[in-house]
Each structure stands twice: as structure tokens, then as C-alpha cells.
Amino acid sequence: MDNENKDWTDERLLRSRLLLGDAVMKRLREARGIVFGTGGVGSWCVEALVRTGVKHLTIVDSDRVCASNINRQLMATTRTVGRPKVEVLRERLLEIAPDAEIVARQEVFNEQTAASFQLESYDFIVDAIDSLRDKALLILLATSTKASFVSSMGAALKIDPTRIQMAEFWKVKGCPLARALRQRFKKEKTFPSRKFKCVFSDEMGKNKFLLPSSAEHANGSLLHITGIFGFMLAGEMMRDLCKGVEEPQDQKEENDK
């Protein structure tokens, strides 16, 4: 049985195929994507993409799993603490889809490494980076390519999932990270080459427990928020990828019966 027919008869993807159709499944199977950041947002986005049918994915994150990740990150457990996030996540994704091509890059995306990622070679790019400087750079470079692109704004300090939204970047309201990015672009007089969608929440929470002054600064965050951010990124990306994809005429006729 060839690989294409195997995909169509694979029961693991049956529910995706029933809803999306063969043409969309083929598009997802052939698309090449890259996700920057595999933490509380990015890890769930990656899982949704692969479980739906994406086969070619590069995942990028320089960090290792730590105990404070366990409350919200997909691959973080007491057994994986200390291991590279992308390595653990790749193992999980291959358990779900052994025939997938998952490239794990334990690297920082920044000015020095950006060229090595060859962003122009991907069909879609997902931004789940925390660093303001690196996030701004990724936005500028990704929007200069033809790839579909979607970005996550700040998911920390949020509790209410009903306030999570999707909007075009310049229309995002109530998000300090989006505001800081816009200020940076205006100050440097360098702007994204095109419009792009963001997932965000306009909720403004605050930490109720303060870490000792000697500890690293961190904000509280919860899985039911970061997970929804990640799933919304995946949903928007799949919708964008599949625009204009049409079922073959014989399949349309069969569906209309």
C-alpha cells in the first residue's frame, strides 16, 4: 500500500478526514511547518497540528523541562524534568504519528541564528516565543515570507478563558505584550510586511503570591488558558492553510447524495 492510500485508510486520522475531507487532509499532510516556542502555548499547538494530520514539523525551543513547567506544559512531568523540551515533545509526537517527520531544534531564535532556520522554505510559521526582542524579529521575518503566519500574545496572568480572542495584530486590545511590540516597531520604524492574526486575552490579572526578591521574575499562568491559546493557534493555522482547497468533483457528488 503506498503512503497516500495508507493516509486515507489510517484509522488514527479517520475523524479528521470525516470532517475535513480528502483534499484538506492531503494539504495538511504535505505542508511543512515550524513552531517557535514549545512551552505552555506552543506545546499544545504542536500536539493539535500533529493529531489532526500535519506530518512535517520543526519544533524550536532552547529550554529544558523544569518543575515549574508541570502545571501547564504538555511534555512536562516529574520524569522529564531536566530534559530538552523539544526532545521530549518529539518523542511524544512520534508515539502519536510514527510516520511523521518531526525535527527538534534545541536552539534560541535570535539575530545570530535566524538565517539558519530558512523561514522561506516553510508553508506555515507559528510564533509562541516569550522574548520581546526575538518575537519582534520573528514577526518581521515571517511576514516577509509567503508562509501562513500566526502569533501568540501574552498568556500569563489570565484566568478567564471566555476572554481569549483572535484578532489582527494592530487591532489587539488590552494586551501589554502586543502594546510593547507595537511600540518597538514604531520606535525602530520597522514594521511587519503584512497583516497577521494573533491570539490574545484582554484580561489584566496580577500575581497574588510574590517570589523572594532573589528569585527569577516570573508571572503566574494556567493550563486552561495556555492550552486554549495553543489550540486557537493550531485552528487558525489549519484554517489558513486550507483556504481555497476544494474536494475533487466526484467526492463532492458523493457527499451531496
Short mmCIF file of all heavy atoms in Angstrom, two decimals, residues 214-244:
data_model
loop_
_atom_site.label_atom_id
_atom_site.label_comp_id
_atom_site.label_asym_id
_atom_site.label_seq_id
_atom_site.Cartn_x
_atom_site.Cartn_y
_atom_site.Cartn_z
N SER A 214 15.27 37.61 45.41
CA SER A 214 16.44 37.00 44.78
C SER A 214 16.07 36.02 43.67
O SER A 214 16.92 35.60 42.90
CB SER A 214 17.26 36.24 45.84
OG SER A 214 16.46 35.22 46.44
N ALA A 215 14.78 35.66 43.58
CA ALA A 215 14.35 34.68 42.58
C ALA A 215 14.15 35.33 41.23
O ALA A 215 13.97 36.54 41.11
CB ALA A 215 13.05 34.02 43.04
N GLU A 216 14.20 34.50 40.19
CA GLU A 216 13.97 34.98 38.83
C GLU A 216 12.53 35.46 38.69
O GLU A 216 11.60 34.84 39.20
CB GLU A 216 14.24 33.85 37.84
CG GLU A 216 14.08 34.26 36.38
CD GLU A 216 14.37 33.11 35.44
OE1 GLU A 216 14.84 32.07 35.91
OE2 GLU A 216 14.11 33.27 34.23
N HIS A 217 12.34 36.58 37.98
CA HIS A 217 11.00 37.13 37.79
C HIS A 217 10.15 36.17 36.97
O HIS A 217 10.59 35.63 35.97
CB HIS A 217 11.07 38.48 37.11
CG HIS A 217 9.71 39.04 36.78
ND1 HIS A 217 8.86 39.53 37.75
CD2 HIS A 217 9.06 39.15 35.59
CE1 HIS A 217 7.74 39.94 37.17
NE2 HIS A 217 7.84 39.72 35.86
N ALA A 218 8.93 35.95 37.41
CA ALA A 218 8.01 35.08 36.67
C ALA A 218 6.59 35.51 36.95
O ALA A 218 6.29 36.08 38.01
CB ALA A 218 8.22 33.62 37.07
N ASN A 219 5.70 35.26 36.00
CA ASN A 219 4.28 35.52 36.18
C ASN A 219 3.51 34.21 36.21
O ASN A 219 3.88 33.25 35.55
CB ASN A 219 3.75 36.40 35.04
CG ASN A 219 4.19 37.84 35.18
OD1 ASN A 219 4.19 38.39 36.28
ND2 ASN A 219 4.59 38.45 34.08
N GLY A 220 2.42 34.21 36.97
CA GLY A 220 1.60 33.02 37.04
C GLY A 220 0.87 32.74 35.73
O GLY A 220 0.49 33.67 35.01
N SER A 221 0.69 31.47 35.42
CA SER A 221 -0.05 31.08 34.22
C SER A 221 -0.67 29.71 34.43
O SER A 221 -0.16 28.91 35.22
CB SER A 221 0.85 31.09 32.98
OG SER A 221 2.02 30.35 33.20
N LEU A 222 -1.77 29.45 33.73
CA LEU A 222 -2.57 28.25 33.97
C LEU A 222 -2.85 27.51 32.67
O LEU A 222 -3.03 28.12 31.61
CB LEU A 222 -3.90 28.63 34.63
CG LEU A 222 -3.80 29.37 35.97
CD1 LEU A 222 -5.17 29.89 36.39
CD2 LEU A 222 -3.23 28.45 37.05
N LEU A 223 -2.92 26.19 32.77
CA LEU A 223 -3.10 25.35 31.59
C LEU A 223 -4.38 25.63 30.83
O LEU A 223 -4.38 25.64 29.59
CB LEU A 223 -3.06 23.87 32.00
CG LEU A 223 -3.44 22.87 30.91
CD1 LEU A 223 -2.54 23.01 29.69
CD2 LEU A 223 -3.39 21.45 31.42
N HIS A 224 -5.48 25.88 31.52
CA HIS A 224 -6.73 26.07 30.78
C HIS A 224 -6.71 27.34 29.94
O HIS A 224 -7.53 27.50 29.04
CB HIS A 224 -7.94 26.05 31.73
CG HIS A 224 -8.10 27.26 32.59
ND1 HIS A 224 -7.41 27.42 33.78
CD2 HIS A 224 -8.88 28.36 32.45
CE1 HIS A 224 -7.75 28.57 34.32
NE2 HIS A 224 -8.65 29.16 33.54
N ILE A 225 -5.74 28.22 30.21
CA ILE A 225 -5.55 29.41 29.38
C ILE A 225 -4.51 29.14 28.29
O ILE A 225 -4.77 29.34 27.10
CB ILE A 225 -5.10 30.61 30.22
CG1 ILE A 225 -6.17 30.96 31.27
CG2 ILE A 225 -4.79 31.81 29.32
CD1 ILE A 225 -7.49 31.45 30.69
N THR A 226 -3.32 28.69 28.69
CA THR A 226 -2.26 28.47 27.70
C THR A 226 -2.65 27.41 26.68
O THR A 226 -2.32 27.52 25.50
CB THR A 226 -0.94 28.07 28.38
OG1 THR A 226 -1.08 26.81 29.03
CG2 THR A 226 -0.51 29.12 29.39
N GLY A 227 -3.37 26.39 27.13
CA GLY A 227 -3.82 25.34 26.21
C GLY A 227 -4.77 25.89 25.15
O GLY A 227 -4.66 25.57 23.97
N ILE A 228 -5.72 26.73 25.58
CA ILE A 228 -6.65 27.33 24.63
C ILE A 228 -5.91 28.22 23.64
O ILE A 228 -6.20 28.22 22.44
CB ILE A 228 -7.76 28.11 25.36
CG1 ILE A 228 -8.65 27.15 26.16
CG2 ILE A 228 -8.60 28.91 24.37
CD1 ILE A 228 -9.67 27.84 27.03
N PHE A 229 -4.94 28.98 24.12
CA PHE A 229 -4.11 29.79 23.22
C PHE A 229 -3.50 28.88 22.14
O PHE A 229 -3.53 29.19 20.95
CB PHE A 229 -2.99 30.49 24.01
CG PHE A 229 -3.32 31.87 24.49
CD1 PHE A 229 -4.37 32.11 25.34
CD2 PHE A 229 -2.54 32.95 24.11
CE1 PHE A 229 -4.66 33.39 25.81
CE2 PHE A 229 -2.81 34.23 24.55
CZ PHE A 229 -3.87 34.46 25.40
N GLY A 230 -2.91 27.78 22.59
CA GLY A 230 -2.25 26.87 21.65
C GLY A 230 -3.21 26.26 20.65
O GLY A 230 -2.92 26.17 19.45
N PHE A 231 -4.38 25.84 21.13
CA PHE A 231 -5.37 25.24 20.24
C PHE A 231 -5.91 26.26 19.24
O PHE A 231 -6.18 25.93 18.08
CB PHE A 231 -6.52 24.64 21.05
CG PHE A 231 -6.12 23.43 21.85
CD1 PHE A 231 -6.64 23.22 23.12
CD2 PHE A 231 -5.22 22.51 21.36
CE1 PHE A 231 -6.28 22.10 23.86
CE2 PHE A 231 -4.84 21.39 22.10
CZ PHE A 231 -5.38 21.19 23.34
N MET A 232 -6.05 27.51 19.68
CA MET A 232 -6.53 28.54 18.76
C MET A 232 -5.48 28.85 17.69
O MET A 232 -5.83 29.09 16.52
CB MET A 232 -6.92 29.80 19.53
CG MET A 232 -8.21 29.64 20.32
SD MET A 232 -8.75 31.14 21.16
CE MET A 232 -9.23 32.18 19.78
N LEU A 233 -4.21 28.81 18.06
CA LEU A 233 -3.16 28.98 17.06
C LEU A 233 -3.25 27.87 16.01
O LEU A 233 -3.16 28.13 14.81
CB LEU A 233 -1.78 28.94 17.72
CG LEU A 233 -1.35 30.13 18.57
CD1 LEU A 233 0.01 29.84 19.20
CD2 LEU A 233 -1.28 31.41 17.75
N ALA A 234 -3.40 26.64 16.49
CA ALA A 234 -3.49 25.50 15.57
C ALA A 234 -4.71 25.61 14.68
O ALA A 234 -4.65 25.36 13.47
CB ALA A 234 -3.52 24.19 16.36
N GLY A 235 -5.84 25.99 15.25
CA GLY A 235 -7.07 26.12 14.48
C GLY A 235 -6.97 27.19 13.41
O GLY A 235 -7.40 26.98 12.27
N GLU A 236 -6.40 28.33 13.77
CA GLU A 236 -6.25 29.42 12.80
C GLU A 236 -5.29 29.01 11.69
O GLU A 236 -5.51 29.33 10.51
CB GLU A 236 -5.73 30.67 13.51
CG GLU A 236 -5.55 31.88 12.60
CD GLU A 236 -6.85 32.37 11.98
OE1 GLU A 236 -7.93 32.17 12.58
OE2 GLU A 236 -6.79 32.96 10.88
N MET A 237 -4.22 28.30 12.07
CA MET A 237 -3.25 27.88 11.06
C MET A 237 -3.86 26.89 10.09
O MET A 237 -3.68 26.99 8.87
CB MET A 237 -2.02 27.28 11.75
CG MET A 237 -0.91 26.92 10.78
SD MET A 237 -0.50 28.29 9.67
CE MET A 237 -0.04 29.56 10.85
N MET A 238 -4.62 25.92 10.60
CA MET A 238 -5.24 24.94 9.71
C MET A 238 -6.27 25.61 8.80
O MET A 238 -6.37 25.28 7.62
CB MET A 238 -5.88 23.82 10.53
CG MET A 238 -4.84 22.88 11.14
SD MET A 238 -5.54 21.43 11.93
CE MET A 238 -6.29 22.15 13.38
N ARG A 239 -7.00 26.56 9.34
CA ARG A 239 -7.98 27.28 8.52
C ARG A 239 -7.29 28.06 7.41
O ARG A 239 -7.74 28.07 6.26
CB ARG A 239 -8.82 28.21 9.39
CG ARG A 239 -9.92 28.92 8.60
CD ARG A 239 -10.88 29.65 9.51
NE ARG A 239 -10.28 30.75 10.23
CZ ARG A 239 -10.96 31.60 10.98
NH1 ARG A 239 -12.27 31.44 11.13
NH2 ARG A 239 -10.35 32.58 11.61
N ASP A 240 -6.19 28.70 7.74
CA ASP A 240 -5.46 29.48 6.75
C ASP A 240 -4.84 28.58 5.68
O ASP A 240 -4.88 28.89 4.48
CB ASP A 240 -4.36 30.29 7.45
CG ASP A 240 -3.86 31.45 6.61
OD1 ASP A 240 -4.65 32.00 5.83
OD2 ASP A 240 -2.68 31.79 6.72
N LEU A 241 -4.27 27.46 6.11
CA LEU A 241 -3.64 26.54 5.17
C LEU A 241 -4.63 25.99 4.16
O LEU A 241 -4.28 25.74 3.01
CB LEU A 241 -3.01 25.36 5.92
CG LEU A 241 -1.63 25.55 6.54
CD1 LEU A 241 -1.26 24.33 7.36
CD2 LEU A 241 -0.59 25.78 5.43
N CYS A 242 -5.86 25.79 4.59
CA CYS A 242 -6.83 25.09 3.76
C CYS A 242 -7.75 26.00 2.96
O CYS A 242 -8.68 25.53 2.31
CB CYS A 242 -7.65 24.15 4.64
SG CYS A 242 -6.61 22.92 5.45
N LYS A 243 -7.49 27.31 3.00
CA LYS A 243 -8.28 28.23 2.18
C LYS A 243 -8.11 27.88 0.71
O LYS A 243 -6.99 27.69 0.23
CB LYS A 243 -7.82 29.67 2.42
CG LYS A 243 -8.26 30.27 3.74
CD LYS A 243 -7.74 31.68 3.88
CE LYS A 243 -8.16 32.30 5.21
NZ LYS A 243 -7.57 33.65 5.40
N GLY A 244 -9.21 27.79 0.01
CA GLY A 244 -9.15 27.53 -1.42
C GLY A 244 -8.98 26.09 -1.80
O GLY A 244 -8.99 25.75 -2.99
#
